[in-house]
Amino acid sequence: MADLFPFRDIESKWHKRWDELFRCDAARTEDKYYCLMMFPYPSGDLHVGHGRNYIIGDALARFKMMEGANVLAPMGWDSFGLPAENAAIKNDIHPREWTERNIAAMKRQFYRWGVMYDWSREVTSCFPEYYRWTQWIFVRLFKAGLAYREEASVNWCPSCKTVLANEQVAGGVCERCGSTVYLKKLAQWFFRIRTYADRLLADLEKLPNWPERVRVMQRNWIGRSEGVEVSFPLEGMSERLECFTTRVDTIYGATFIAIAADHPLSAALLERGGRGSEGEEFLQRVRELQVQEREKAEFTKEGFFTGCYATNPASGRRIPIYLASYVLMEYGTGVVMGVPAHDQRDFEFVLRSPVEIPVVQVISPDGTQSAALSEAYTGDGRMINSERFDGLDNRTGMERIAAHLADKGLARSVVHYRLKDWLISRQRYWGAPIPMVHCGKCGIVPVREEDLPVLLPENVDFHPRGDGKSPLATVPQFVETVCPACGGPAARETDTMDTFVDSSWYFLRYLSPRDSEKPFDSSLANAWLPVDQYVGGIEHAILHLMYSRFIVKFLHDEGLISFDEPFKNLFTQGMIHRNGAKMSKSKGNVVNPVPLIDTYGADTVRIYTLFIGPPEKDAEWNDRAMEGAYRFVNRVWRLYANHREILEGKNSDEAIDPEGLDRDDLKLYRAVQVTIARVTGDIFERGFQFNTAISALMELTNEIYLFVEQNEAFRRRDPASVQLFEASLKSLLLLLAPIAPHLCEEIWERMGYANTIFSRKLPKADARYIRAETYTLVIQVNGKIRSRIEADRDASKERLSELALGDEKIQKLIGDGKVLKVVVVPGSLVNIVIK
């Protein structure tokens, strides 16, 4: 039908043309705009929830093009790691084949949405030409002393048969497969991200255009704490237990010591206390408790007496040493001084203890001893039962006790971080091989940079082994090598890198993706970065963003780049829900966009996706609501289709002179100017509020229809009115084009314009007419709303009072009553007080 937009006939035509449109000349850096979407895992089909991210980014890139920017909008694939490998195992296919198949499918889906990128810059992290440089970064970190290997208690997923970072464990289970996670001791590779903790924390102040909740999440994850490290001498042993505390003012109330089950001295203490065999059972039980569950304050506090004692360095008292399930090596020193009177976890531990442990109050709100404590007192107050420090306020006491213990060599001021070094090794096949060699003579040696990449072999049984070793360990041709230092026989490292290493620098590679001499062109990187706008999900607020910031700071310190933060502006879109839950395959509530595009067209899906709600908020998907967006697309199409005779070939850019317009024409002209101001403000000033911008465009479409249907001058094809119609439709198309590009490009071309609509600048509002001519005046009687009328924007108070009193509804309400007062608030309301 002629009145329906023929999207099936024209969409693919524009995709081919836009490939060239999105090809960026990176050598031209003036007016540059680096618009970057987080690159995806190619592990399956995209659903409409994914589409929100990419459609927002595409629309933004197009708006910036029309603002005159030289836009760089590349795309690539975060293609190593567990998601792709697990899917490949499940489907009995090689991870590379599975990955490449999914990449092809996802590229087709991008095109179907009309989401375009500069595909000449495509990068794929599982290809040797990319991971060669990931390995190069590893070697540089190792040479700088920032990559190291040591045995550690790690989260072990028995199903995935690999180590997981703490952040990949949620609720005690693997975030990938849902299996219960346990602790296991393995030799692992780490990056010293803690070395950068202070800079990562301080430099959040350089990122005012990041969402505050993301900055708070990063701040909390780094978790900087200033405190005191206190030494507790061990009875009958030369060692000491070092305890970090932020409340040294409570040390006189420390009546026991609790240590982590995997503390280096736990076995020795059990042996010395004669409790080795019994204690081993407790240790095994605690090791099976995953990290996150052990952190929860409400978790049952289990303890086991080691049979050994320490000395309280402040009071000199003998206090017992316990293994405790709630103490973690990952935080502080793995040692807690138990102060049950002033720490709720310690208080609950004492209540559950089968033997009596004293509760000694050392801080009181008013400086007096409480009869009994029903819970720990954690506030400030006066010190009691603290010998020479009695009577001091506890904050003063904190400083003096720290100084007193420091003078005795038993304490020192330190800073601790919640942030731990980044565990990057994985015992899986599908990852970048760690470029290190184990030599019996030279130790651990990095592969020479000129010998990179260390290629991932293709013919491998990539199913996880379950013994803590990578499948690569079964491939002699891979393992057996020579030492880069001495030339003797050596063995390659068989662990692979966490995929977050791959994604920590990909935004640099886009500038020179085919460079075989270096990972990135420093001059181009310095010209184009930091990224002007980064768009992605809030789920990456900690891991990916933190790791990328760390790697960029390292590369800056190496003198390779001039900036030390990767992303200037960050936007995190809300998630799409369906049936009240986040879309996911496991919940069975995903919506495939392809049938919707087949039925309604890509522009309808794009409009609905952007119109569904504020882009930073979660939103509920409703297939039936797609009809409204579809009607809007066809209403815009009919503005062209029903007036072909006056539009085709009429590509005039002659400006409208509003001074010569009559009242009816001026109303449409004013509506256009108001819409221009609203749309550009919603996008560029108010944070990508596409939903309200679309609402404004729908209102303008209605105004144009009213003009077409009711304006007598236009109906008789008066040249001035026809010109106004053409100019108004042109403004509508220019503003709508980034949101519904196929529709607007097609009409634009049929109107006779030779070049793409995206080569044109966005219209600028005539400042004299950006206020609406009229507004809705609310009329109240004795404070209650009784009517609404249209009023001129510039009407005086007297005129507004006259209009309100003359309204038929108000006259009936007043009747024989007496008007006592009329209060006028211009631009808002009139309140009539009657008796």
Side-chain angles (χ1 to χ4, degrees):
M1 295 174 63
D3 60 347
L4 295 180
F5 174 49
F7 62 87
R8 295 182 184 88
D9 300 332
I10 62 94
E11 285 182 350
S12 61
K13 171 184 74 174
W14 290 110
H15 301 161
K16 294 174 184 176
R17 297 188 191 181
W18 291 336
D19 272 333
E20 186 61 32
L21 173 70
F22 274 76
R23 193 178 294 264
C24 175
D25 178 7
R28 183 170 67 84
T29 58
E30 65 273 13
D31 299 320
K32 65 90 180 175
Y33 189 81
Y34 193 169
C35 184
L36 184 63
M37 309 304 106
M38 295 182 183
F39 73 167
Y41 295 114
S43 57
D45 293 332
L46 296 169
H47 56 67
V48 296
H50 298 121
R52 193 183 203 190
N53 174 39
Y54 303 114
I55 292 169
I56 287 172
D58 179 80
L60 175 60
R62 293 175 189 267
F63 267 115
K64 293 302 293 187
M65 285 180 184
M66 299 178 76
E67 202 181 35
N70 180 27
V71 174
L72 171 62
M75 180 49 72
W77 311 98
D78 191 9
S79 49
F80 266 145
L82 283 176
E85 185 170 341
N86 285 346
I89 292 170
K90 179 180 178 181
N91 292 277
D92 194 26
I93 188 175
H94 195 281
R96 184 183 183 97
E97 183 180 347
W98 172 261
T99 298
E100 291 179 351
R101 182 184 299 177
N102 283 330
I103 286 173
M106 291 168 72
K107 286 180 76 170
R108 288 193 295 272
Q109 285 180 295
F110 283 142
Y111 275 108
R112 291 302 309 276
W113 271 315
V115 168
M116 306 301 295
Y117 299 105
D118 183 349
W119 288 112
S120 71
R121 299 178 181 277
E122 181 179 10
V123 299
T124 306
S125 66
C126 68
F127 287 0
E129 55 267 31
Y130 182 90
Y131 70 73
R132 167 189 180 182
W133 301 111
T134 303
Q135 294 173 340
W136 180 89
I137 290 173
F138 182 102
V139 171
R140 293 290 291 249
L141 284 160
F142 180 81
K143 290 179 178 179
L146 294 172
Y148 67 96
R149 186 174 187 261
E150 72 174 21
E151 191 171 79
S153 290
V154 294
N155 301 307
W156 178 259
C157 175
S159 177
C160 294
K161 295 183 175 63
T162 192
V163 170
L164 302 175
N166 287 344
E167 302 88 347
Q168 293 171 310
V169 182
V173 300
C174 173
E175 68 172 4
R176 296 298 182 193
C177 70
S179 299
T180 300
V181 175
Y182 303 96
L183 291 176
K184 185 172 183 174
K185 286 262 188 182
L186 287 175
Q188 299 292 314
W189 283 96
F190 296 85
F191 289 161
R192 296 187 193 276
I193 192 173
R194 288 186 69 193
T195 304
Y196 283 75
D198 277 330
R199 287 169 62 186
L200 290 167
L201 184 62
D203 287 354
L204 288 171
E205 298 305 313
K206 296 181 179 180
L207 305 171
N209 295 323
W210 280 32
E212 182 57 23
R213 64 172 175 163
V214 173
R215 298 202 302 165
V216 168
M217 291 167 75
Q218 292 225 343
R219 210 173 278 125
N220 292 341
W221 192 256
I222 295 168
R224 187 180 192 275
S225 299
E226 295 183 7
V228 177
E229 195 168 273
V230 181
S231 297
F232 286 78
L234 296 175
E235 188 178 90
M237 299 175 69
S238 59
E239 293 91 343
R240 295 177 176 183
L241 288 175
E242 306 296 335
C243 171
F244 172 76
T245 178
T246 59
R247 293 297 305 272
V248 74
D249 53 324
T250 65
I251 193 168
Y252 283 90
T255 56
F256 68 95
I257 289 287
I259 69 171
D262 53 347
H263 190 280
L265 290 177
S266 61
L269 288 168
L270 288 170
E271 183 178 351
R272 180 171 179 79
R275 309 208 66 192
S277 58
E278 299 169 78
E280 186 54 42
E281 294 179 12
F282 177 80
L283 291 174
Q284 184 58 36
R285 184 163 69 254
V286 170
R287 290 189 187 107
E288 293 173 357
L289 300 173
Q290 42 64 43
V291 174
Q292 278 72 11
E293 285 295 318
R294 294 198 305 177
E295 286 182 281
K296 295 182 179 178
E298 70 272 13
F299 192 81
T300 300
K301 314 301 187 298
E302 295 187 33
F304 186 86
F305 178 45
T306 63
C308 295
Y309 294 84
T311 300
N312 184 319
S315 67
R317 295 190 186 96
R318 185 178 189 243
I319 57 176
I321 303 171
Y322 287 82
L323 303 178
S325 61
Y326 69 96
V327 182
L328 306 176
M329 277 305 298
E330 287 77 11
Y331 301 98
T333 61
V335 177
V336 167
M337 63 177 198
V339 185
H342 302 290
D343 183 284
Q344 189 61 27
R345 293 191 308 172
D346 298 342
F347 186 82
E348 293 174 7
F349 182 84
V350 165
L351 290 180
R352 291 176 173 84
S353 174
V355 298
E356 184 176 351
I357 300 175
V359 177
V360 178
Q361 184 180 7
V362 294
I363 297 173
S364 163
D366 57 5
T368 61
Q369 177 77 48
S370 301
L373 293 173
S374 59
E375 62 180 5
Y377 175 69
T378 59
D380 290 332
R382 293 284 168 184
M383 298 188 65
I384 60 176
N385 299 321
S386 300
E387 298 178 1
R388 70 178 74 182
F389 304 103
D390 284 353
L392 294 176
D393 71 86
N394 67 296
R395 296 292 163 179
T396 301
M398 191 179 293
E399 296 176 4
R400 295 190 182 179
I401 291 174
H404 171 64
L405 293 175
D407 289 343
K408 295 166 63 176
L410 294 172
R412 62 190 181 97
S413 296
V414 296
V415 174
H416 270 257
Y417 300 93
R418 184 178 186 269
L419 177 69
K420 297 301 171 183
D421 281 345
W422 177 9
L423 192 163
I424 64 97
S425 51
R426 297 291 180 267
Q427 292 68 47
R428 296 293 293 252
Y429 165 67
W430 194 236
I434 293 176
M436 304 298 289
V437 167
H438 299 267
C439 174
K441 179 181 177 182
C442 304
I444 300 177
V445 182
V447 174
R448 289 190 296 262
E449 292 180 11
E450 59 267 28
D451 293 333
L452 297 176
V454 175
L455 291 172
L456 186 68
E458 290 282 328
N459 299 318
V460 178
D461 178 3
F462 52 82
H463 293 76
R465 287 161 50 91
D467 59 359
K469 294 182 179 180
S470 164
L472 293 177
T474 66
V475 185
Q477 302 93 320
F478 176 81
V479 175
E480 297 169 3
T481 186
V482 297
C483 174
C486 70
R492 290 195 189 280
E493 172 63 57
T494 57
D495 282 0
T496 53
M497 282 187 249
D498 177 15
T499 186
F500 281 112
V501 183
D502 306 321
S503 62
S504 67
W505 72 280
Y506 75 104
F507 41 87
L508 295 164
R509 185 65 176 169
Y510 282 137
L511 275 306
S512 49
R514 308 295 168 248
D515 194 332
S516 61
E517 301 299 321
K518 51 189 178 298
F520 50 85
D521 185 308
S522 293
S523 61
L524 283 176
N526 290 336
W528 278 88
L529 280 95
V531 170
D532 294 286
Q533 185 63 61
Y534 202 29
V535 179
I538 190 67
E539 65 271 20
H540 299 295
I542 296 174
L543 296 186
H544 164 59
L545 293 174
M546 185 81 75
Y547 296 154
S548 297
R549 295 180 64 217
F550 162 62
I551 292 298
V552 162
K553 289 182 186 303
F554 166 70
L555 295 173
H556 172 269
D557 292 350
E558 291 284 288
L560 297 169
I561 50 178
S562 61
F563 52 93
D564 64 356
E565 285 290 342
F567 313 118
K568 184 188 303 180
N569 297 286
L570 174 68
F571 181 80
T572 54
Q573 83 282 352
M575 294 182 179
I576 296 292
H577 292 240
R578 191 180 186 215
N579 303 326
K582 172 189 170 184
M583 279 192 188
S584 71
K585 289 183 179 179
S586 62
K587 292 185 175 70
N589 66 345
V590 299
V591 176
N592 183 348
V594 173
L596 295 174
I597 294 171
D598 288 342
T599 302
Y600 299 107
D603 288 335
T604 295
V605 175
R606 288 171 65 104
I607 289 169
Y608 176 66
T609 302
L610 296 174
F611 190 56
I612 197 170
E616 73 280 7
K617 304 289 187 183
D618 293 351
E620 180 73 16
W621 185 270
N622 182 349
D623 287 350
R624 291 193 300 273
M626 194 74 63
E627 292 286 348
Y630 184 58
R631 286 193 296 271
F632 173 55
V633 166
N634 288 304
R635 276 172 62 79
V636 174
W637 172 254
R638 285 193 296 274
L639 283 175
Y640 157 75
N642 293 342
H643 303 92
R644 283 190 178 92
E645 79 284 359
I646 61 173
L647 290 173
E648 290 184 350
K650 304 287 187 175
N651 56 359
S652 170
D653 289 326
E654 185 177 348
I656 298 293
D657 178 11
E659 299 299 329
L661 299 178
D662 63 23
R663 182 181 177 87
D664 289 341
D665 286 358
L666 190 60
K667 182 180 180 183
L668 176 58
Y669 181 83
R670 188 187 295 273
V672 171
Q673 307 315 308
V674 169
T675 304
I676 293 170
R678 285 178 61 185
V679 171
T680 54
D682 284 340
I683 302 305
F684 298 122
E685 298 169 18
R686 290 181 283 277
F688 316 145
Q689 298 302 304
F690 291 100
N691 57 319
T692 52
I694 292 169
S695 179
L697 292 167
M698 289 177 171
E699 291 174 22
L700 177 59
T701 302
N702 292 339
E703 289 292 336
I704 297 176
Y705 266 94
L706 287 173
F707 178 84
V708 166
E709 295 164 0
Q710 299 178 6
N711 189 287
E712 289 298 327
F714 178 77
R715 290 164 68 89
R716 64 174 182 268
R717 296 301 188 257
D718 176 78
S721 294
V722 169
Q723 183 190 9
L724 176 62
F725 169 72
E726 293 171 359
S728 300
L729 178 58
K730 174 182 168 184
S731 292
L732 173 64
L733 294 174
L734 289 167
L735 294 169
L736 181 60
I739 296 166
H742 309 84
L743 170 70
C744 298
E745 280 276 39
E746 187 66 21
I747 296 175
W748 192 257
E749 183 181 61
R750 294 190 185 200
M751 287 175 66
Y753 292 97
N755 295 324
T756 171
I757 194 171
F758 297 105
S759 66
R760 303 300 291 260
K761 291 287 187 71
L762 291 169
K764 293 189 180 297
D766 186 337
R768 299 169 298 171
Y769 295 91
I770 60 174
R771 293 176 63 200
E773 186 177 19
T774 63
Y775 68 96
T776 301
L777 180 72
V778 174
I779 307 175
Q780 298 178 340
V781 176
N782 292 341
K784 292 185 178 180
I785 297 174
R786 296 300 187 181
S787 185
R788 291 180 172 85
I789 61 172
E790 288 298 303
D792 288 343
R793 176 66 63 182
D794 298 322
S796 65
K797 285 188 176 183
E798 292 75 15
R799 176 57 180 159
L800 295 174
S801 175
E802 181 182 313
L803 287 170
L805 291 170
D807 182 71
E808 287 186 16
K809 292 181 182 178
I810 301 303
Q811 287 183 345
K812 289 179 181 179
L813 281 170
I814 294 174
D816 296 329
K818 181 180 180 182
V819 176
L820 300 179
K821 182 169 59 173
V822 178
V823 179
V824 179
V825 182
S828 179
L829 61 85
V830 173
N831 183 37
I832 301 169
V833 181
I834 66 173
K835 182 178 180 181

